[in-house]
Amino acid sequence: REWPCDLAVLAMGFVSPEDDIIAKLSLDTDQRNNIHAEYGHYTTSVEGVFACGDCRRGQSLVVWAINEGRGTAESVNDYLIARSIELNDPDPLQETNASAMQY
């Protein structure tokens, strides 16, 4: 069927994450081209890179993204603590520029 018009806008919604970041970091993806990350840990195929929310699970409710964001923050914290122990660094944030941590 056809409808004559001057402009047609297609609202497709979220399709998948941007290909640039996936390619630049060589991240593994799933069959829907979302970033593959283990649920509950949110670790990707690249050490030290985590993914959550829509880029991991696809389009979903914001409450899922919030929940996964919290879980990811915990996983990143655990990762950094483990790395500081591995590097024998008692305080991994000691030399971090405080202004770089502002957002």
Side-chain angles (χ1 to χ4, degrees):
R1 196 163 182 197
E2 291 183 28
W3 292 277
C5 65
D6 293 327
L7 174 68
V9 177
L10 302 176
M12 307 282 278
F14 180 83
V15 179
S16 63
E18 294 291 324
D19 292 331
D20 270 2
I21 190 77
I22 292 170
K24 286 179 183 176
L25 295 177
S26 300
L27 296 170
D28 289 345
T29 57
D30 63 17
Q31 67 277 7
R32 295 180 302 160
N33 206 34
N34 294 319
I35 298 170
H36 177 73
E38 182 182 344
Y39 179 75
H41 299 285
Y42 308 102
T43 53
T44 66
S45 57
V46 177
E47 183 181 348
V49 177
F50 299 80
C52 65
D54 288 359
C55 76
R56 188 196 72 78
R57 69 182 297 136
Q59 183 181 11
S60 188
L61 299 173
V62 70
V63 294
W64 281 111
I66 292 168
N67 182 56
E68 288 196 7
R70 289 177 176 157
T72 303
E74 186 175 342
S75 291
V76 169
N77 185 58
D78 292 345
Y79 172 80
L80 292 174
I81 288 171
R83 289 284 293 158
S84 69
I85 291 169
E86 181 181 304
L87 298 172
N88 199 21
D89 183 359
D91 186 2
L93 298 178
Q94 169 182 335
E95 296 180 22
T96 302
N97 182 347
S99 65
M101 295 176 58
Q102 295 176 4
Y103 52 92

